[in-house]
Amino acid sequence: MKQTNVDPRAVKPRARGPSAAVMRLMRKMGVMPKISPTERQALEAGHVWIDGDLFAGKANFKSLMSQPYNKLSDREQAFLDGPVMELCRLIPAWEINQTRHVSDEVLAFIKAKGFMGMLIPQEYGGLGFSWLAISTVLQTLNQVSVGAATFVTIANSLSAAELIKHYGTQAQKDFYLPRLASGEMVPCFGLTEPKAGSDAASMEASGHVFRDNDGVVKISLNFEKRYMTLGPVADLTTLACQLFDPGHLLGRVDEKGQPVSDIGITCVLLHKGTPGFTSGEHHMPIGDAFYNGPLHGKEVVVSLDNIIGGVEGAGLGWRMLMEQLAGGRAISLPAGAMAGMNLATTATGAYSMVRRQFNMPIGVMDGIAEKVAFINAMTYMMEAARVGVCSAIDDGVKPPVTSGALKLISTEVGAQAVIAGMDVMAGAGVMQGPSNILGRLYTSLPVGKTVEGASIMTRTMLTYGQGAVRCHPYALRIVKALEADEPAAFRNSLLGWVGHIVLGVGRTARLDVLRGRTGGIPAGVAPQTHTYYRRLAWAAARFGKLTDLALLTMGAKLKVLGMLSGRFTDAFTWMLLAEMALLRFEREGRRQEDLPLLAYSCEYALQRVQEAFEGIYSNWDAPVVGFFMRAVGKQMLRLNSLSHGPSDKLTKKAAATTQTYNEQFLRLNEGTFFPSEDKLGLGRLLKAFRLETESRPVIAKIVKAQKAKTLRRSDIRPALVNDALAGGVIDSAEAQLLHDAYQAMSDAITVDTFEPDQYFL
Ligand SMILES: Cc1cc2nc3c(=O)[nH]c(=O)nc-3n(C[C@H](O)[C@H](O)[C@H](O)COP(=O)(O)OP(=O)(O)OC[C@H]3O[C@@H](n4cnc5c(N)ncnc54)[C@H](O)[C@@H]3O)c2cc1C
């Protein structure tokens, strides 16, 4: 990694000829967005993945179907079945929530079993797990306690270990990695400041290179950081700061040979207890309790060896962060969101059948089924994306646009799913206590939306802004040629783009007329799913053309048109999610019983894409083109819709996939930690659900007798069961089953109560 501080145009003679004239015109008209140095580093980080096909307007299903969709290795699965389950059983979730304290016993177990070093290679004492495994562990732990899971999350995401692993000197690897793996050093990551949140690169934290009295060159740090997760208890902080070398002691020169004093953003390793460095205060984040607080530093002196990567790493901090975030955004936050979605799926399907009102399970009522179906399908689709994207990252791809989109959509839809689950549980969802299943995660929902790129900015600026330049087949090449003043490269890219547009317009028109029929269906996929491939190909073609048109007619203005950009992000994200769901369906062997989930997912996703397109057409902010898009385009779009969303019939089928305690319910809920059946909350609910499912044939006998008027009408309560037994409608074993189910269902719907001395703090 090398830094360039010089504008190439400043050292080159001015280009001449027709291409150069067009270049000058394009620059003057602002056709292409200007890119700042920090944006450039973000753009250059990572890779273009299958997301590039969508921006090119040509969904490449052959490539999609060749993507990995991995499983955990035997070693990783054994860790999940062993230490992870053990830890879940050990964690006193409600107690942590109340006391805000993660006990020494829990922390000791986390450290002893290697949870803190999952990403650290085995040769350094870590577990050397894949990202898929790390994400799966985080997904499970977050369901039980965000507070305890936070230790594992921070240690295994963007903090010291990840950065040292990739950029550290050998001495740093040898010293820090074993200590981080064992948990001897608890890390935290220090980027955010009061004045630098979303605009993190504008940080004021500074490091000044100076020669100390002992003659050794060192760094003096001054900083005020806030929102540091694990900050109050961390032993090792990765501090991001602006590094200055006023005395040119590092000997850095630019391309012209001039000494450089503004070195740039640098990541420095900072030990707890270093004079001038104070930590220990707590913020009180909303939701499930976890440790978070500010860090203060005044003239904190550290060695140059504390720079990640040593002196060579000075000034490369932003690039390091962007490169690791390119994949990293797809790991911990989506795993946390999935924790909520998994719990919502398990609990809502079960609760909807265990809870009875109006003499029937609430789950058979349309309004409830609608929510259950939404939760089930979104979980199916989001889990597909989690596994698909983690697998790609494990294969060496780092797709920043997809990672950002996955972080955004998983935290958004995860929140919607948990809220839908709370609606279904109504009072039982609202009353807090150890029996409440979703409440603690519900209160944590805003956290996921805030960290690692707040949702609004990610939707309205980052995802499409980066994608349109980075993933588009020609945009970045043209921008680079314009910046470097390279007429030949510019001409080739521009001609390529023109050809791409011409071919694309024809293809989009054809797909429009034929409703995607010539879009290309990958060989051998399930026939019932052909319609989704067709309509996705059609949607992608339109998306690609709209992107070309946006770049041509709005260009640099796109950066500030956040609402429009946000709709493009929506269209892109839902297409990608539908693709991931299709990949999952194929890779899991086309399970027919899961078809309703796939169908709901695709119809829902295509409906959202349609809505996004309608919004884009209605708000196209360019003269002439905008008028035609509003007056003609929008009407055509509505007449020829991609989808009207899942039908009521499909919705009921999708709801039913989790409303019976059977193989499918257990399989779809493999990502959920099932506590033992005596445990308050989910444990008791699962017991009630199992017994409810077992007693359905017996209940059917009672209902039949009621219809025949040989048994009085009433809900299935003990007195009625006794009457049914006395009347010979059911036998004694069946009566016992109903009594057991009734008791379990009563236990499962019980909410917590507190004595005044427990309630008032
Ligand atoms: C619980 C928690 C834990 C955290 N842990 C850490 C940690 O361990 N280490 C660390 O360094 N940081 C951490 N953070 C900081 C987190 O990454 C920041 O909160 C985040 O970057 C947003 O900064 P901000 O809260 O200051 O919001 P602001 O930057 O003030 O943003 C406010 C709103 O404006 C929007 N916005 C800003 N710019 C734009 C734009 N250009 N276009 C559109 N919308 C925009 C944002 O989306 C947001 O909705 C944590 C935060 C929280 C809440």
Side-chain angles (χ1 to χ4, degrees):
M1 291 191 298
K2 244 184 150 205
Q3 282 182 301
T4 310
N5 298 335
V6 178
D7 178 355
R9 278 176 280 163
V11 291
K12 276 177 68 173
R14 193 177 171 186
R16 294 180 190 285
S19 302
V22 179
M23 284 168 73
R24 278 193 288 279
L25 186 70
M26 279 182 86
R27 261 190 226 119
K28 204 168 161 189
M29 289 170 62
V31 171
M32 283 291 156
K34 279 214 176 74
I35 300 172
S36 71
T38 48
E39 282 173 327
R40 172 176 300 283
Q41 289 180 345
L43 278 173
E44 285 173 356
H47 312 107
V48 176
W49 186 48
I50 55 168
D51 40 18
D53 299 325
L54 298 176
F55 281 90
K58 209 161 180 232
N60 185 343
F61 298 126
K62 205 170 154 200
S63 161
L64 171 69
M65 287 300 143
S66 69
Q67 294 306 315
Y69 193 83
N70 296 343
K71 286 197 163 70
L72 302 189
S73 69
D74 290 347
R75 196 167 64 89
E76 291 166 342
Q77 188 62 51
F79 188 76
L80 204 79
D81 296 339
V84 175
M85 291 302 129
E86 232 179 301
L87 178 57
C88 288
R89 286 191 287 268
L90 185 70
I91 291 172
W94 177 246
E95 199 181 300
I96 293 178
N97 183 271
Q98 291 302 288
T99 62
R100 303 197 191 99
H101 182 64
V102 179
S103 71
D104 293 346
E105 188 194 3
V106 168
L107 208 46
F109 186 92
I110 288 175
K111 292 177 180 181
K113 296 292 176 185
F115 281 88
M116 303 288 278
M118 288 190 290
L119 65 73
I120 296 174
Q122 285 177 284
E123 68 211 81
Y124 292 103
L127 293 176
F129 279 173
S130 64
W131 285 115
L132 179 61
I134 292 170
S135 152
T136 309
V137 172
L138 296 178
Q139 177 183 12
T140 310
L141 293 183
N142 273 296
Q143 288 164 28
V144 181
S145 162
V146 173
T150 300
F151 280 89
V152 186
T153 306
I154 296 299
N156 291 284
S157 54
L158 186 64
S159 67
E162 175 68 345
L163 292 171
I164 292 172
K165 186 171 98 176
H166 287 282
Y167 310 104
T169 61
Q170 193 54 50
Q172 287 171 341
K173 287 179 190 171
D174 292 339
F175 181 81
Y176 289 108
L177 292 183
R179 287 169 173 79
L180 289 163
S182 67
E184 183 188 331
M185 285 185 159
V186 171
C188 81
F189 176 65
L191 178 64
T192 305
E193 299 176 2
K195 305 277 170 45
S198 301
D199 185 11
S202 69
M203 70 187 74
E204 291 175 328
S206 66
H208 282 81
V209 179
F210 73 106
R211 192 178 299 281
D212 208 350
N213 295 336
D214 57 8
V216 179
V217 176
K218 298 179 186 169
I219 305 171
S220 172
L221 298 163
N222 287 285
F223 56 88
E224 288 296 328
K225 299 280 179 184
R226 68 175 181 181
Y227 301 160
M228 308 292 100
T229 303
L230 296 187
V233 295
D235 307 290
L236 183 68
T237 299
T238 304
L239 188 92
C241 67
Q242 298 280 1
L243 190 66
F244 300 98
D245 180 17
H248 304 129
L249 298 170
L250 299 182
R252 201 51 79 82
V253 290
D254 65 16
E255 272 78 354
K256 292 187 205 162
Q258 297 299 310
V260 174
S261 51
D262 185 351
I263 304 294
I265 294 173
T266 301
C267 293
V268 177
L269 294 164
L270 187 54
H271 293 235
K272 189 176 187 166
T274 309
F277 173 32
T278 46
S279 61
E281 294 161 89
H282 287 262
H283 296 307
M284 202 187 285
I286 198 167
D288 213 2
F290 66 94
Y291 301 157
N292 186 291
L295 304 175
H296 316 279
K298 200 161 188 319
E299 291 168 18
V300 185
V301 176
V302 295
S303 161
L304 290 180
D305 293 339
N306 288 39
I307 297 174
I308 294 187
V311 174
E312 287 289 304
L316 299 179
W318 192 252
R319 183 158 291 201
M320 291 177 187
L321 302 184
M322 289 305 108
E323 282 179 359
Q324 294 321 310
L325 270 178
R329 281 202 178 112
I331 313 294
S332 47
L333 273 305
M338 278 309 303
M341 299 190 81
N342 283 134
L343 261 190
T345 305
T346 312
T348 316
Y351 191 85
S352 74
M353 299 313 286
V354 164
R355 176 64 174 166
R356 295 176 69 89
Q357 291 291 280
F358 303 101
N359 290 350
M360 63 181 110
I362 58 168
V364 303
M365 300 166 187
D366 274 13
I368 296 289
E370 199 172 23
K371 298 280 182 195
V372 177
F374 174 79
I375 297 169
N376 291 348
M378 292 305 106
T379 305
Y380 181 86
M381 182 154 55
M382 217 57 72
E383 174 67 359
R386 182 188 76 86
V387 175
V389 178
C390 282
S391 302
I393 295 170
D394 282 327
D395 254 29
V397 181
K398 281 186 179 162
V401 177
T402 290
S403 303
L406 183 59
K407 189 262 152 187
L408 167 73
I409 198 72
S410 60
T411 51
E412 288 287 337
V413 176
Q416 289 169 14
V418 172
I419 290 168
M422 301 282 287
D423 282 355
V424 170
M425 294 194 167
V430 168
M431 293 307 161
Q432 271 292 28
S435 300
N436 187 308
I437 299 169
L438 293 177
R440 283 180 298 105
L441 274 175
Y442 167 78
T443 53
S444 299
L445 296 177
V447 175
K449 288 187 183 198
T450 303
V451 292
E452 282 193 13
S455 287
I456 297 173
M457 184 175 73
T458 306
R459 176 173 175 267
T460 59
M461 190 182 96
L462 288 183
T463 306
Y464 188 68
Q466 278 195 4
V469 178
R470 179 72 209 262
C471 295
H472 187 274
Y474 295 98
L476 189 57
R477 287 197 233 168
I478 293 178
V479 171
K480 280 185 171 172
L482 279 172
E483 284 183 352
D485 212 22
E486 296 278 5
F490 172 77
R491 187 180 54 242
N492 292 341
S493 302
L494 191 64
L495 288 176
W497 190 19
V498 171
H500 170 76
I501 291 173
V502 171
L503 289 176
V505 166
R507 184 178 143 78
T508 311
R510 195 175 66 238
L511 289 170
D512 261 344
V513 173
L514 298 172
R515 292 185 56 80
R517 278 195 175 71
T518 55
I521 295 164
V525 297
Q528 303 97 315
T529 62
H530 285 188
T531 175
Y532 307 120
Y533 290 97
R534 288 190 191 117
R535 283 184 279 159
L536 266 173
W538 174 25
R542 183 174 284 156
F543 180 78
K545 280 321 102 212
L546 287 173
T547 295
D548 287 328
L549 200 58
L551 286 171
L552 276 175
T553 62
M554 294 170 213
K557 241 173 83 183
L558 261 179
K559 259 190 175 177
V560 291
L561 296 175
M563 291 185 221
L564 198 74
S565 198
R567 294 185 186 101
F568 271 107
T569 298
D570 297 342
F572 163 73
T573 308
W574 287 106
M575 286 190 292
L576 193 73
L577 288 179
E579 287 197 336
M580 291 289 105
L582 288 164
L583 180 65
R584 173 179 180 175
F585 186 73
E586 288 299 317
R587 286 306 157 79
E588 289 186 346
R590 303 181 200 160
R591 295 173 182 276
Q592 292 306 296
E593 69 274 26
D594 290 355
L595 252 181
L597 296 174
L598 176 71
Y600 185 115
S601 299
C602 289
E603 293 294 354
Y604 184 85
L606 286 164
Q607 184 188 29
R608 299 301 305 270
V609 177
Q610 172 74 18
E611 278 168 19
F613 285 159
E614 287 183 20
I616 291 169
Y617 274 64
S618 304
N619 294 282
W620 198 270
D621 187 21
V624 189
V625 179
F627 172 77
F628 279 106
M629 290 191 67
R630 284 190 295 277
V632 187
K634 195 172 83 180
Q635 311 313 326
M636 306 280 288
L637 198 68
R638 284 191 175 156
L639 283 172
N640 195 16
S641 175
L642 284 166
S643 173
H644 297 290
S647 67
D648 291 354
K649 216 166 147 187
L650 176 59
T651 300
K652 283 181 192 168
K653 285 185 187 168
T657 56
T658 58
Q659 289 180 317
T660 301
Y661 193 98
N662 58 10
E663 181 279 331
Q664 187 183 22
F665 172 79
L666 294 174
R667 182 172 50 75
L668 288 172
N669 289 297
E670 264 168 8
T672 308
F673 167 65
F674 278 30
S676 60
E677 288 190 346
D678 61 328
K679 289 277 176 223
L680 290 181
L682 190 58
R684 287 187 176 190
L685 177 60
L686 288 168
K687 178 180 180 184
F689 186 35
R690 179 175 60 73
L691 291 172
E692 186 275 334
T693 298
E694 282 175 27
S695 57
R696 279 182 205 175
V698 188
I699 294 174
K701 285 185 183 178
I702 290 182
V703 172
K704 194 173 167 198
Q706 285 176 325
K707 279 188 182 156
K709 298 203 170 38
T710 54
L711 191 65
R712 67 188 166 88
R713 283 210 178 262
S714 148
D715 198 11
I716 317 292
R717 292 188 179 165
L720 181 78
V721 175
N722 291 339
D723 287 353
L725 178 62
V729 176
I730 55 173
D731 63 27
S732 57
E734 290 170 330
Q736 188 55 49
L737 177 60
L738 285 185
H739 283 308
D740 290 348
Y742 182 81
Q743 185 56 49
M745 287 154 79
S746 304
D747 291 344
I749 60 160
T750 302
V751 299
D752 301 292
T753 52
F754 300 89
E755 293 299 329
D757 62 329
Q758 296 170 311
Y759 179 73
F760 293 108
L761 294 175

